[in-house]
Amino acid sequence: MALEHAILVSLDERSGSGYELAQRFEKSIGFFWPATHQQIYRTLKRMVDLAWVSCHEVAQDGRPDKKVYEVTEAGRDELARWLASPGEPETVRSDLAVKVRGASLGDAKAVIAELARHRDLHAERLDVYLAFEKKDFPDPSTLSGRRLHQYLILRGGIRAEQGLVEWCDEALAAMREDDRR
Amino acid sequence: MALEHAILVSLDERSGSGYELAQRFEKSIGFFWPATHQQIYRTLKRMVDLAWVSCHEVAQDGRPDKKVYEVTEAGRDELARWLASPGEPETVRSDLAVKVRGASLGDAKAVIAELARHRDLHAERLDVYLAFEKKDFPDPSTLSGRRLHQYLILRGGIRAEQGLVEWCDEALAAMREDDRR
DNA sequence: GTTACCATGTAAAAAGTTACATGATTCT
DNA sequence: AGAATCATGTAACTTTTTACATGGTAAC
C-alpha cells in the first residue's frame, strides 16, 4: 500500500494538517495517487499509532484548531525501506475499455459519445499538465534532486494523457467509420 | 463498478463457468480489468440474485461438475443501460511514481533499479500485446463490430505500455545523469 | 442570507486481496 | 510419485467509496 508512503513523501516536503494534505492530494501527488479526506484522516491516525508521524494541535484565531503532522525518524526509515523494496507494476482498470469492448451489445453511438467525452476530459488534463510544465520547469535540463523527480512525475502524467487522447481519437475514428457502413 | 459489466460482456460473447471466466480474466478482458477467481465467484453469485445471469449445473465425466452461467434478458438490459451511462475517467495509482517522487528521501540508486525493473516488465507486456496484434489482427482496416472493438482495446494496451516504457527510459536517463553529478 | 472555505470526523457499504480448503484427473 | 489442470468455494482482512455530521468564518 502506498497511501502511507505518499503521505510520508508529501509531509516530508512540508508538514501540514490532514486538511492541507487532502488539498495536496487534489493536485500534484494526487494525480497519480488519488485519496479523499476520509482516507487521509484515517491513515494519519494509523500512522501516528505506528509512530511514523507525530501530531501536535495548533490553535488558530478565527479558524478551527488544526492538527499538524510531521514525519518522525521512524517514518523516514520506513519510507527509505519502502523506496528500496520492489513493487508490482501498476494495473489499469478502465471502464471505458470495457464499454468499447462491449459496444456491439448495446448502443454503439452512446459508446462513441462516451469516448468523445473522455477524449475531451483527457485533453483538458493534458492542457493543465502542459501548463505546469511550461510554468514550473522552463529549463528541465538543469534540474536535479527533488525538483527533477517532481518534473519526471509530471512528464509521466503528460505521456499518459497524451496516450489516452491519441487512443480515444484512434478509437473514435475507427468506430465512426464502422458506424457509417 | 465494472466487474459485473465486464463479466456480462465476456459471458455474452460466450457462456461459461466461473473457472473459465477467471481464465479469460487472466488475459484479454483482464488486461484492463483484472479480477481473481474469488472475486468472480462472488460476483457471479450476486449477479444470479440480480437475475442478470442464469446458472445451470453441467455434469462432466472425468471432471468435476461445473456451473455454466448465461446472460439473461435482464442482464443484457443492464449492460445496455450501463454502456450508455457516463463514467469517470480512469484514475492512475502508481507506486512507482510515488517512489520516483520520493527518491531523494531514500536511496536514489534503489529507485533507479526499481525503474529499470518496471521498464523491463512493461517491455515484456508490450511484446505480448504486439504479438497478439500481429497474429490476431493482421489487417486492421477490414475489421468491424466486435472484432474491431477487441482490436481497439488491444491498441489501448499497446499505447499504454509503450508510453510506460518510454517514460521509464526518460526517467532512467535523467536520474542516472543526475546521480553521476 | 447563502455560498464557499476551514477543519475534523463517524459509520456503513462495496470492492479487492490473501490465505486456506477440497478433491478428482491427466500428464510427465 | 508428483505436478499441473479442472472446478469450486469459505473466511478474514484491507482498502476504497459514499453518505452523513458538525460548526465557525469570510465573502458576495
Side-chain angles (χ1 to χ4, degrees):
Chain A
M1 225 282 291
L3 179 54
E4 283 100 332
H5 302 101
I7 289 176
L8 286 174
V9 170
S10 188
L11 278 183
D12 198 277
E13 279 180 14
R14 197 155 24 91
S15 298
S17 67
Y19 188 81
E20 280 163 344
L21 273 171
Q23 283 178 312
R24 291 185 218 168
F25 273 80
E26 290 284 297
K27 21 184 186 176
S28 69
I29 206 156
F31 290 151
F32 45 90
W33 201 281
T36 61
H37 71 113
Q38 291 88 345
Q39 265 183 85
I40 289 166
Y41 285 125
R42 196 145 21 88
T43 304
L44 280 170
K45 201 170 281 178
R46 200 179 340 135
M47 289 169 79
V48 170
D49 292 342
L50 289 164
W52 292 355
V53 295
S54 63
C55 168
H56 52 275
E57 280 190 47
V58 174
Q60 303 183 108
D61 46 270
R63 287 185 190 178
D65 296 357
K66 64 177 177 181
K67 295 180 185 173
V68 173
Y69 294 88
E70 216 174 327
V71 181
T72 63
E73 203 52 40
R76 260 181 293 273
D77 287 350
E78 167 58 24
L79 185 56
R81 189 203 60 73
W82 178 77
L83 282 174
S85 72
E88 289 296 298
E90 53 198 287
T91 32
V92 200
R93 273 218 164 88
S94 171
D95 285 41
L96 187 58
V98 178
K99 281 178 184 170
V100 169
R101 173 89 185 234
S104 52
L105 310 170
D107 181 1
K109 283 214 175 59
V111 176
I112 289 173
E114 178 72 351
L115 258 174
R117 232 191 82 236
H118 282 252
R119 192 248 171 237
D120 291 345
L121 288 169
H122 289 302
E124 262 176 52
R125 277 200 199 166
L126 177 58
D127 285 345
V128 171
Y129 292 177
L130 287 173
F132 279 145
E133 188 186 29
K134 205 170 175 179
K135 183 168 156 279
D136 296 340
F137 306 99
D139 194 0
S141 60
T142 62
L143 298 170
S144 77
R146 177 185 296 174
R147 289 289 293 159
L148 173 63
H149 305 144
Q150 288 174 348
Y151 169 71
L152 289 175
I153 294 311
L154 183 58
R155 289 289 308 156
I158 288 171
R159 279 184 189 278
E161 295 301 332
Q162 272 170 343
L164 284 164
V165 170
E166 285 167 24
W167 177 71
C168 286
D169 283 336
E170 180 183 350
L172 275 168
M175 288 185 68
R176 281 174 173 151
E177 172 66 25
D178 188 43
D179 194 52
R180 270 196 292 280
R181 287 188 303 217
Chain B
M1 223 285 290
L3 179 55
E4 282 100 331
H5 301 100
I7 289 176
L8 285 174
V9 169
S10 188
L11 277 184
D12 199 278
E13 279 180 14
R14 198 155 22 93
S15 298
S17 68
Y19 187 82
E20 280 164 343
L21 273 170
Q23 283 179 312
R24 291 185 214 168
F25 273 80
E26 290 284 297
K27 21 185 186 176
S28 69
I29 205 153
F31 289 150
F32 46 88
W33 201 280
T36 61
H37 71 113
Q38 292 87 344
Q39 267 183 84
I40 289 168
Y41 284 126
R42 195 144 25 89
T43 304
L44 279 171
K45 201 171 282 178
R46 198 178 344 132
M47 289 170 78
V48 171
D49 291 342
L50 289 165
W52 291 354
V53 295
S54 62
C55 167
H56 53 272
E57 280 190 48
V58 175
Q60 304 182 107
D61 46 271
R63 286 185 190 180
D65 295 357
K66 65 178 177 179
K67 295 180 186 171
V68 173
Y69 294 89
E70 216 174 326
V71 180
T72 62
E73 202 53 38
R76 259 182 292 273
D77 287 352
E78 167 57 26
L79 184 57
R81 188 203 60 72
W82 178 77
L83 282 173
S85 72
E88 289 297 299
E90 54 197 288
T91 34
V92 201
R93 272 218 165 89
S94 171
D95 285 42
L96 187 59
V98 177
K99 282 180 183 168
V100 169
R101 173 88 185 234
S104 52
L105 310 170
D107 181 0
K109 282 214 176 60
V111 176
I112 289 173
E114 178 72 351
L115 258 173
R117 233 190 82 235
H118 282 252
R119 193 247 171 237
D120 291 345
L121 287 170
H122 288 301
E124 264 175 53
R125 277 200 200 164
L126 177 57
D127 284 344
V128 171
Y129 292 176
L130 287 173
F132 279 144
E133 188 185 29
K134 205 169 175 180
K135 184 170 155 277
D136 295 339
F137 306 100
D139 194 0
S141 61
T142 62
L143 298 171
S144 77
R146 176 184 295 174
R147 289 289 291 159
L148 173 63
H149 305 144
Q150 289 174 347
Y151 169 72
L152 289 174
I153 293 310
L154 182 60
R155 289 290 308 155
I158 289 171
R159 278 183 188 279
E161 296 300 333
Q162 270 170 345
L164 285 165
V165 170
E166 284 167 23
W167 177 72
C168 286
D169 283 337
E170 179 183 352
L172 275 169
M175 288 185 69
R176 283 175 173 152
E177 172 65 24
D178 189 44
D179 194 52
R180 271 195 291 276
R181 289 188 300 216

